């Protein structure tokens, strides 16, 4: 069984400059709920000054139709975010830091150490399962290649906070399958494959190869966004996550995803996204 967390409504939409109507976000999540995901990342309770597109996170949570058996999660950067997430009755929260100091500063205005201290009380009092994201686990847009030993250290620190799982982010989509093997050879014995989720972006077209390599090594959990939408506003040039459709094509019925329903969800959001930049 391959388990895909659909992150399109959060990672997919957070970079969009034109505000997408809340109604459309709700319809997108509802369509995804019918596609067979166990988990959908709906939005972020981050500062609306930093991510204006997701300022309506509370309203989206209030209006989606929750399907039994689906966990609806959201990003939480600090205590204020946790309060908002609680009010929205999220099923699970995702806290986030990174293996690169520069990216961490640009993304959350903190050092890695400060980010961990900020997250400590959030994880301790969450009261729901907690995912810990470690971004720039292979390459950083500002610092270049990241030493796997540094990634392992941050993963240790994030798990020591009390997180239930790690999502390992190839934030700018630059990892190669061999780099994935090198890191997973360290992470799998340490944390167990079942607590690892691979979060590949597809900037250089290697996300599917990276997912295949991860699965060969025993990983069964992946993040993906319907239609491959998205990126990170604080990672210049990064494009979207691996398309959920690409992982469904790769792993087939093992994903439990209804491809037609997934495509329906993608079709619903597509008209509201800015056109892709010209190739070249
Ligand atoms: P800051 O400016 O250092 O902190 O931001 P602050 O406490 O001074 O907050 C600034 C303002 O935001 C204040 O308002 C706060 O009240 C408010 P003001 O006093 O100026 O009116 N504020 C909040 N409002 C609502 N909810 C909150 C909240 N927190 C503060 N939770 C902070 C620090 C962490 C808040 C900010 O940097 C932030 O929100 N960053 C989020 C950036 C982000 O969401 N990035 C994308 C997600 S990460 C990603 O995409 C990678 C991933 O996909 C994996 C991968 O691909 O690698 C996960
Ligand atoms: Mg991402």
């Amino acid at each position: 069984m391959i388990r895909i967390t659909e992150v399109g409504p959060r990672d997919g939409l957070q970079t969009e400059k034109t505000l997408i109507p809340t109604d459309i976000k709700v319809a997108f999540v509802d369509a995804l709920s019918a596609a067979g995901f166990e988990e959908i990342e709906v939005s972020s309770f981050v500062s609306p000054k930093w991510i204006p597109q997701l300022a309506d996170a509370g309203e989206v949570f209030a209006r989606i139709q929750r399907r039994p058996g689906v966990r609806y999660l959201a990003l939480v950067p600090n205590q204020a975010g946790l309060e908002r997430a609680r009010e929205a009755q999220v099923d699970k929260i995702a806290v986030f830091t990174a293996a690169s100091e520069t990216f961490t500063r640009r993304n959350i205005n903190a050092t890695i150490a400060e980010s961990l201290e900020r997250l400590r009380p959030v994880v301790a009092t969450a009261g729901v399962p907690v995912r810990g994201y470690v971004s720039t686990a292979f390459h950083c847009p500002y610092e270049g290649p990241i030493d796997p030993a540094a990634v392992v250290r941050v993963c240790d620190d994030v798990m020591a906070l009390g997180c239930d799982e790690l999502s390992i982010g190839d934030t700018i989509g630059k990892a190669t399958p061999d780099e994935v093997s090198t890191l997973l050879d360290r992470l799998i014995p340490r944390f167990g494959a079942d607590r690892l989720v691979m979060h590949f972006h597809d900037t250089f077209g290697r996300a599917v190869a990276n997912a295949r390599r991860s699965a060969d090594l025993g990983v069964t959990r992946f993040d993906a966004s319907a239609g491959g939408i998205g990126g990170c506003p604080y990672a210049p040039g990064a494009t979207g996550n691996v398309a959920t459709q690409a992982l469904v094509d790769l792993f087939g019925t093992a994903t439990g995803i209804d491809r037609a329903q997934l495509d329906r969800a993608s079709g619903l959001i597509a008209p509201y996204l800015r056109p892709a930049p010209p190739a070249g």
Side-chain angles (χ1 to χ4, degrees), residues 42-155:
V42 172
S43 194
S44 291
F45 292 99
V46 296
S47 168
K49 294 191 169 136
W50 286 64
I51 307 282
Q53 181 62 255
L54 301 183
D56 60 354
E59 204 183 335
V60 174
F61 266 94
R63 290 171 51 192
I64 54 173
Q65 293 197 343
R66 298 188 194 211
R67 226 173 231 251
V70 184
R71 281 182 299 279
Y72 296 92
L73 65 144
L75 255 61
V76 165
N78 53 18
Q79 207 68 40
L82 180 61
E83 300 308 322
R84 292 174 61 209
R86 276 219 183 95
E87 212 167 293
Q89 298 184 311
V90 306
D91 298 315
K92 177 170 173 176
I93 63 164
V95 297
F96 53 107
T97 185
S100 136
E101 285 291 356
T102 315
F103 177 79
T104 309
R105 170 64 63 197
R106 302 276 181 118
N107 195 40
I108 51 176
N109 198 24
T111 64
I112 297 170
E114 284 165 354
S115 76
L116 292 164
E117 283 320 303
R118 189 187 276 172
L119 295 176
R120 190 176 304 284
V122 172
V123 178
T125 62
V128 289
V130 183
R131 146 180 291 212
Y133 274 109
V134 176
S135 288
T136 57
F138 301 94
H139 295 263
C140 168
Y142 311 105
E143 292 182 14
I146 299 293
D147 179 2
V151 182
V152 172
R153 272 197 303 277
V154 177
C155 288

Side-chain angles (χ1 to χ4, degrees), residues 39-275:
E39 254 185 25
I40 300 174
E41 199 167 75
V42 172
S43 194
S44 291
F45 292 99
V46 296
S47 168
K49 294 191 169 136
W50 286 64
I51 307 282
Q53 181 62 255
L54 301 183
D56 60 354
E59 204 183 335
V60 174
F61 266 94
R63 290 171 51 192
I64 54 173
Q65 293 197 343
R66 298 188 194 211
R67 226 173 231 251
V70 184
R71 281 182 299 279
Y72 296 92
L73 65 144
L75 255 61
V76 165
N78 53 18
Q79 207 68 40
L82 180 61
E83 300 308 322
R84 292 174 61 209
R86 276 219 183 95
E87 212 167 293
Q89 298 184 311
V90 306
D91 298 315
K92 177 170 173 176
I93 63 164
V95 297
F96 53 107
T97 185
S100 136
E101 285 291 356
T102 315
F103 177 79
T104 309
R105 170 64 63 197
R106 302 276 181 118
N107 195 40
I108 51 176
N109 198 24
T111 64
I112 297 170
E114 284 165 354
S115 76
L116 292 164
E117 283 320 303
R118 189 187 276 172
L119 295 176
R120 190 176 304 284
V122 172
V123 178
T125 62
V128 289
V130 183
R131 146 180 291 212
Y133 274 109
V134 176
S135 288
T136 57
F138 301 94
H139 295 263
C140 168
Y142 311 105
E143 292 182 14
I146 299 293
D147 179 2
V151 182
V152 172
R153 272 197 303 277
V154 177
C155 288
D156 276 346
D157 290 343
V158 169
M159 288 308 266
L161 295 177
C163 289
D164 299 286
E165 67 190 34
L166 286 164
S167 178
I168 305 299
D170 181 20
T171 315
I172 55 171
K174 220 173 177 182
T176 63
D178 286 349
E179 288 171 341
V180 170
S181 293
T182 301
L183 187 60
L184 283 177
D185 284 346
R186 293 179 182 225
L187 297 184
I188 291 175
R190 211 169 181 91
F191 304 109
D194 56 337
R195 288 204 290 177
L196 296 174
V197 184
M198 297 310 285
H199 180 106
F200 292 118
H201 283 258
D202 200 27
T203 317
F204 295 93
R206 289 197 283 267
V208 169
N210 288 338
R212 186 184 288 122
R213 179 66 66 88
S214 308
D216 288 345
L217 295 169
V219 170
T220 58
R221 302 177 60 197
F222 297 91
D223 294 340
S225 72
I229 60 176
C232 173
Y234 300 103
T239 61
N241 299 83
V242 62
T244 312
Q245 283 87 343
L247 292 191
V248 173
D249 287 347
L250 177 66
F251 297 119
T253 52
T255 60
I257 303 303
D258 175 342
R259 173 67 193 251
Q261 184 61 30
L262 171 62
D263 287 346
R264 198 178 82 72
S266 288
L268 213 147
I269 198 72
Y272 294 90
L273 305 176
R274 79 200 134 163

